[in-house]
């Protein structure tokens, strides 16, 4: 096992091109917010959380909010974790201290086998809260969807969109539900909350984010955010991980 610690300065966010590692790795952040993209999905990793990436999985990464983080590389032949896909984990206080202890001690330290065994016990996969947005294929609703994705704060309701694309409200309502599985209002909320996660991770305040994605009242935004993600917006701006909540890295 090897542990590398690093920090991206306030003016030095960075992007890592697509690559893979022969050995499994655990990437986690203490104060930074990063994204990791694989062929299957994108992950948003807020402070206090990590992403397990099996060996051979191609991925790219970028820093949305500068800060500190660590990368742990595991020996493939001696690693008891067999997760075959990237998996989110929470890095609580005990696990964080174990990682720091392992970083300080050498391979021959008598405490190391016990510390490693406890670390593996504490690495438990978190449930995912996908913010999945289906894009319709019918040209009328697709035109609406693309404009809302580009500008989540667009306030137009379905009646106004019906005039815009020269279609009936009932027709658009039916198409949204049949092609996305959601009502227009619910689909738009999904788009707005997904955009909000990125803004919050980039350092925007809750109030500014609420306005940027179309909510006049922060309370309405917070309620919608909690309903979609199961967490509060503060989860994605929180940098003190001592009592961090338990959302997983969220697909963006």
């Amino acid at each position: 096992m090897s542990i590398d610690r690093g920090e991206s300065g306030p003016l030095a966010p960075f992007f890592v091109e697509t690559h893979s590692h022969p050995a499994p790795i655990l990437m986690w952040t203490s104060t930074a917010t990063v994204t990791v993209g694989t062929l299957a999905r994108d992950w948003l990793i807020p402070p206090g959380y990590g992403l397990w990436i099996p060996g051979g999985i191609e991925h790219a990464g970028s820093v949305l909010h500068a800060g500190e983080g660590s990368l742990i590389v595991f020996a493939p032949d001696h690693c008891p974790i067999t997760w075959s896909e990237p998996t989110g984990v929470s890095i609580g206080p005990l696990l964080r201290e174990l990682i720091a202890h392992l970083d300080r001690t050498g391979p021959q330290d008598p405490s190391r086998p016990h510390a490693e065994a406890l670390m593996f016990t504490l690495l438990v996969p978190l449930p995912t809260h996908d913010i999945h947005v289906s894009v319709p294929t019918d040209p009328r609703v697709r035109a609406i969807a693309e404009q809302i994705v580009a500008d989540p704060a667009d306030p137009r309701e379905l009646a106004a969109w019906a005039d815009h694309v020269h279609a009936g409200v009932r027709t658009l309502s039916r198409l949204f539900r049949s092609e996305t599985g959601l009502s227009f209002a619910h689909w738009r909320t999904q788009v707005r909350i997904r955009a909000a996660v990125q803004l919050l991770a980039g350092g925007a305040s809750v109030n500014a984010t609420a306005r940027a994605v179309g909510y006049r009242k922060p309370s309405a935004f917070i309620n919608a955010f909690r309903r979609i993600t199961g967490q509060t917006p503060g989860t994605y701006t929180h940098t003190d991980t001592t009592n961090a909540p338990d959302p997983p890295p969220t697909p963006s």
Side-chain angles (χ1 to χ4, degrees), residues 186-199:
H186 194 179
W187 183 90
R188 183 177 62 183
T189 298
Q190 298 276 86
V191 172
R192 288 177 168 179
I193 299 307
R194 187 176 69 165
V197 167
Q198 297 283 358
L199 292 171

Side-chain angles (χ1 to χ4, degrees), residues 40-42 128-136 149 179-183 186-195 197 228-229 250-252:
R41 66 196 295 176
D42 293 332
T128 58
H129 297 287
D130 291 351
I131 306 178
H132 179 65
V133 175
S134 298
V135 179
V149 169
E179 297 212 3
T180 70
L182 303 171
S183 68
H186 194 179
W187 183 90
R188 183 177 62 183
T189 298
Q190 298 276 86
V191 172
R192 288 177 168 179
I193 299 307
R194 187 176 69 165
V197 167
I228 296 298
T229 68
T250 304
S252 59

Side-chain angles (χ1 to χ4, degrees), residues 26 37-38 53 101 107 132 145 162 183 195:
L26 174 66
T38 67
I53 304 177
H101 171 74
H132 179 65
S183 68

Side-chain angles (χ1 to χ4, degrees), residues 23-24 47 57-58 62 95 101 130 149-151 169 181 183 188 190 197 210 226 232 238 246-247:
I57 297 291
E58 292 192 343
S62 62
L95 186 52
H101 171 74
D130 291 351
V149 169
D151 179 15
V169 173
S183 68
R188 183 177 62 183
Q190 298 276 86
V197 167
R226 184 185 292 113
T232 64
H238 191 69
D246 285 331

Side-chain angles (χ1 to χ4, degrees), residues 219-232:
S219 59
F221 166 66
I222 292 170
N223 289 337
F225 197 98
R226 184 185 292 113
R227 188 169 63 249
I228 296 298
T229 68
Q231 306 297 330
T232 64

Side-chain angles (χ1 to χ4, degrees), residues 72-235:
I72 305 175
V73 181
F74 298 90
D77 297 338
H78 297 89
C79 181
I81 294 179
T82 58
W83 304 334
S84 60
E85 300 293 336
T87 302
V89 296
S90 175
I91 308 295
L94 178 56
L95 186 52
R96 185 170 65 244
E97 290 302 318
L98 277 170
I99 292 172
H101 171 74
L102 290 167
D103 187 37
R104 292 191 302 265
T105 60
Q108 306 306 318
D109 189 283
S111 69
R112 194 173 180 91
H114 301 289
E116 289 186 5
L118 181 55
M119 182 193 66
F120 286 122
T121 299
L122 294 174
L123 284 174
V124 178
L126 287 169
T128 58
H129 297 287
D130 291 351
I131 306 178
H132 179 65
V133 175
S134 298
V135 179
T137 56
D138 182 281
R140 293 163 293 183
V141 288
R142 187 178 183 88
I144 298 169
E146 289 176 347
Q147 292 190 53
I148 293 174
V149 169
D151 179 15
D154 194 311
R156 283 177 284 184
E157 299 296 337
L158 205 53
W161 284 114
D163 291 338
H164 181 72
V165 299
H166 308 293
V169 173
R170 288 186 177 180
T171 298
L172 293 180
S173 179
R174 175 179 54 80
L175 286 170
F176 258 102
R177 191 169 290 279
S178 64
E179 297 212 3
T180 70
L182 303 171
S183 68
F184 167 76
H186 194 179
W187 183 90
R188 183 177 62 183
T189 298
Q190 298 276 86
V191 172
R192 288 177 168 179
I193 299 307
R194 187 176 69 165
V197 167
Q198 297 283 358
L199 292 171
L200 292 166
S205 69
V206 172
N207 287 351
T209 299
R211 292 191 298 271
V213 298
Y215 290 89
R216 294 181 181 178
K217 297 181 178 180
S219 59
F221 166 66
I222 292 170
N223 289 337
F225 197 98
R226 184 185 292 113
R227 188 169 63 249
I228 296 298
T229 68
Q231 306 297 330
T232 64
T235 296

